[in-house]
């Protein structure tokens, strides 16, 4: 067996994980058990008993874990080689943390944890993309000022896509489009005519005749869209992640809601071509999300990431097409893709980069904002709450738009706020429309805007 068990550092990297009792936290904690030079020193979550049960499931001995109710007890636990379980942010012992992994998914708590970590000279790995869309520019600037690392966490699509972009640019390509597949594939069974999206089924027999893209790609895409119109394919989480990528790359969406074409992976280079070449793009250098269409038993894109590039020499790219690479029919575009995102399984890569300084905090800018467009007429007094697995807000749709000098309210700043005036259907929600906005995060957003796009 080949395995990773060598102790590469004299002392393990001490990691704090906030929002530990979630899916991301679990995948990270499971992987950390395989790495003797990293340790989950402090785990923060209001549900400390839930975290304890999860650790038992992962095979952590009960004696290696202790619930603490003040920072001094957290210090003692870490010094004794135990994992401190913490319910209250005030009880984190920052002196005994090297790297924070922020995974609460909540803008109020997540921002407070990241800001406090930087105040205590602790590097930050940001997994909470909701926080990143609003305060990431400001937090990154603060980290640079203090000589610290603030990095998006490998394993989630934004960081994975940014790594792919680095590779693509370093090899000399021009990027036409970049993005990811949606979280859940459309799995079509030709025998039954049923398409399944993560357990939600739709009778869509028309897809049987649409598995190839034919001579008119855009017509095929329109027909596929109509065939699965009963399924909700777009998610706020997708828009949130692509907004994060925009902050770091300057890429913008071709349309504010993104296209979400229903696509087979071998079609990607044709689909994300310019309109004049038969593709769907009116502009280039764009971010987008597609819904993967596949048959039962076919491999998934697994929420992976892609970049569409311009090709070069015809002979070179015919050689590469012959090796199975995705090249457009006219040979002008190619798709480079990584069909995976392993959540916390990959995050130790970022933790090590933050601690060792092998990656620097990349300067991001508020090139776009994830905004909220009213899906229906909203009355004054309407409250907003973030709900569900994909962190949606009822009554508004997420869109990626230009920041508009800070008048537009970021989507997740609506969380916990309410309308002070009526907002008509189709209008963007603005700061002036809201009461009860979480001011520390709003202030961080404005600070990030002041740094310039």
């Amino acid at each position: 067996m080949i395995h990773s068990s060598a102790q590469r550092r004299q002392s393990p990297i001490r990691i704090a994980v906030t929002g530990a009792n979630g899916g991301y936290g679990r995948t990270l904690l499971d992987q950390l058990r395989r790495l003797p030079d990293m340790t989950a020193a402090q785990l923060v979550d209001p549900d400390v008993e839930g975290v304890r049960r999860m650790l038992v499931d992962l095979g952590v001995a009960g004696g290696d874990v202790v619930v603490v109710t003040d920072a001094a007890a957290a210090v003692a636990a870490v010094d004794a080689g135990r994992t401190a379980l913490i319910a209250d942010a005030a009880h984190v012992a920052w002196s005994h943390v090297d790297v924070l992994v922020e995974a609460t998914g909540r803008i109020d708590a997540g921002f407070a944890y990241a800001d406090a970590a930087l105040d205590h000279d602790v590097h930050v790995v940001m997994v909470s993309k909701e926080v990143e869309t609003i305060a990431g520019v400001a937090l990154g600037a603060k980290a640079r000022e203090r000589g610290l690392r603030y990095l998006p966490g490998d394993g989630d699509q934004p960081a994975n896509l940014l790594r792919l972009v680095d590779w693509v640019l370093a090899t000399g390509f021009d990027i036409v489009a970049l993005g990811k597949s949606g979280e859940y594939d459309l799995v079509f069974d030709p025998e039954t005519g049923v398409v399944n999206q993560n357990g939600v089924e739709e009778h869509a027999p028309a897809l049987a005749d649409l598995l190839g893209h034919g001579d008119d790609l855009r017509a095929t895409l329109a027909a596929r869209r109509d065939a699965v119109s009963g399924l909700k394919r777009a998610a706020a989480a997708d828009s949130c992640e692509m907004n994060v990528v925009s902050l770091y790359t300057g890429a913008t969406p071709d349309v504010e809601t993104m296209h979400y074409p229903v696509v087979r992976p071998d079609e990607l280079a044709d689909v994300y071509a310019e309109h004049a070449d038969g593709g769907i793009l009116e502009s280039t250098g764009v971010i987008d999300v597609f819904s993967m269409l596949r048959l039962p038993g076919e491999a998934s894109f697994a929420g992976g990431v892609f970049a569409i590039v311009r090709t070069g020499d015809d002979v070179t790219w015919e050689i590469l097409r012959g090796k199975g690479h995705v090249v457009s029919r006219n040979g002008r575009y190619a798709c480079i893709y990584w069909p995976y995102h392993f959540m916390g399984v990959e995050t130790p890569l970022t933790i090590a980069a933050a601690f060792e300084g092998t990656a620097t905090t990349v300067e991001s800018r508020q090139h776009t904002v994830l905004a909220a467009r009213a899906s229906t007429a909203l009355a004054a007094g309407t409250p907003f709450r973030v709900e569900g697995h994909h962190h949606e807000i009822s009554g508004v749709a997420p869109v990626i738009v230009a920041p508009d000098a800070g008048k537009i309210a970021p989507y997740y700043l609506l969380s916990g706020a309410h309308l002070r005036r009526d907002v008509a259907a189709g209008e963007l929600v603005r700061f002036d429309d809201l009461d009860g906005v979480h001011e520390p995060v709003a202030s961080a957003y404005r600070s990030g805007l002041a740094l310039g796009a």
Side-chain angles (χ1 to χ4, degrees):
M1 179 186 295
I2 301 172
H3 57 91
S4 175
S5 60
Q7 185 87 20
R8 292 170 290 181
R9 304 172 184 89
Q10 281 191 325
S11 300
I13 302 173
R14 300 167 300 179
I15 302 159
V17 182
T18 47
N21 194 31
Y24 204 103
R26 182 173 185 129
T27 58
L28 172 59
L29 294 172
D30 181 47
Q31 202 65 20
L32 289 178
R33 296 178 61 242
R34 296 168 169 80
L35 297 167
D37 49 5
M38 296 186 186
T39 182
Q42 300 179 60
L43 305 181
V44 186
D45 197 289
D47 184 8
V48 291
E49 288 307 314
V51 177
R52 190 202 295 271
R53 288 191 298 271
M54 177 177 64
L55 293 175
V56 170
D57 286 347
L58 292 175
V60 178
D64 293 337
V65 177
V66 58
V67 176
V68 302
T69 55
D70 58 57
V75 167
V78 175
D79 283 343
R82 304 171 79 188
T83 295
L85 304 188
I86 303 169
D88 190 321
H91 303 153
V92 175
W94 291 111
S95 62
H96 284 50
V97 181
D98 298 310
V99 179
L100 167 69
V101 177
E102 195 336 89
T104 63
R106 292 176 47 204
I107 62 165
D108 50 354
F111 172 75
Y113 284 128
D115 197 47
L118 295 175
D119 282 339
H120 289 86
D121 294 325
V122 171
H123 307 293
V124 174
V125 173
M126 179 56 71
V127 174
S128 295
K129 49 191 173 284
E130 300 84 356
V131 176
E132 184 81 49
T133 61
I134 304 172
V137 174
L139 289 169
K142 182 172 182 174
R144 289 192 301 275
E145 290 170 1
R146 300 183 68 92
L148 298 168
R149 264 73 69 192
Y150 173 88
L151 304 171
D154 280 305
D156 226 357
Q157 290 98 328
N160 287 17
L161 185 49
L162 292 171
R163 280 198 292 118
L164 177 59
V165 167
D166 283 345
W167 184 94
V168 168
L169 294 178
T171 53
F173 287 109
D174 296 325
I175 296 177
V176 174
L178 54 120
K180 51 164 265 186
S181 73
E183 291 294 310
Y184 304 115
D185 297 347
L186 300 173
V187 184
F188 175 66
D189 186 346
E191 293 186 5
T192 63
V194 171
V195 63
N196 185 303
Q197 181 183 250
N198 193 38
V200 179
E201 294 187 341
E202 173 93 346
H203 194 57
L207 287 178
D209 295 324
L210 298 169
L211 295 176
H213 57 278
D215 295 328
D216 189 339
L217 172 63
R218 290 194 291 267
T220 298
L221 295 178
R224 288 177 183 169
R225 178 199 61 214
D226 293 343
V228 297
S229 60
L231 295 172
K232 183 182 183 299
R233 296 184 290 113
D238 293 335
S239 296
C240 185
E241 288 165 348
M242 290 301 97
N243 179 233
V244 171
V245 173
S246 172
L247 303 186
Y248 286 94
T249 64
T252 58
D254 200 39
V255 293
E256 66 176 26
T257 55
M258 296 185 291
H259 286 289
Y260 279 94
V262 177
V263 177
R264 308 271 281 163
D266 65 341
E267 302 167 341
L268 284 165
D270 286 294
V271 170
Y272 287 108
E274 293 185 78
H275 205 269
D277 285 322
I280 65 173
L281 298 183
E282 297 289 351
S283 55
T284 59
V286 304
I287 45 177
D288 207 71
V289 178
F290 76 94
S291 296
M292 177 175 172
L293 174 63
R294 66 179 176 88
L295 303 180
E298 290 184 337
S300 172
F301 210 84
V305 297
F306 69 89
I308 306 299
V309 302
R310 296 189 191 280
T311 60
D313 173 58
D314 290 345
V315 175
T316 295
W317 287 94
E318 281 307 308
I319 291 171
L320 293 173
R321 188 199 302 275
K323 291 182 177 294
H325 292 285
V326 177
V327 181
S328 65
R329 287 181 291 185
N330 64 14
R332 297 174 186 168
Y333 304 87
C335 176
I336 300 169
Y337 62 98
W338 293 346
Y340 64 85
H341 77 294
F342 284 106
M343 299 178 66
V345 170
E346 294 181 81
T347 309
L349 297 172
T350 325
I351 293 169
F355 181 75
E356 295 170 349
T358 55
T360 57
T361 300
V362 177
E363 189 170 332
S364 60
R365 287 288 182 264
Q366 204 73 48
H367 300 289
T368 58
V369 61
L370 180 67
R373 192 175 291 284
S375 305
T376 186
L378 301 172
T382 297
F384 297 110
R385 292 182 57 189
V386 177
E387 298 177 303
H389 174 69
H390 289 299
H391 291 192
E392 312 270 8
I393 300 175
S394 179
V396 292
V399 293
I400 302 175
V401 298
D404 190 28
K407 296 178 182 178
I408 300 168
Y411 183 84
Y412 284 109
L413 263 180
L414 273 62
S415 177
H418 60 273
L419 287 178
R420 67 159 64 114
R421 61 180 65 147
D422 295 346
V423 172
E427 287 189 359
L428 291 172
V429 178
R430 302 179 181 274
F431 277 105
D432 288 347
D433 299 323
L434 297 169
D435 280 324
V437 168
H438 188 76
E439 189 49 43
V441 186
S443 179
Y445 173 70
R446 295 185 186 102
S447 173
L449 272 178
L451 293 173

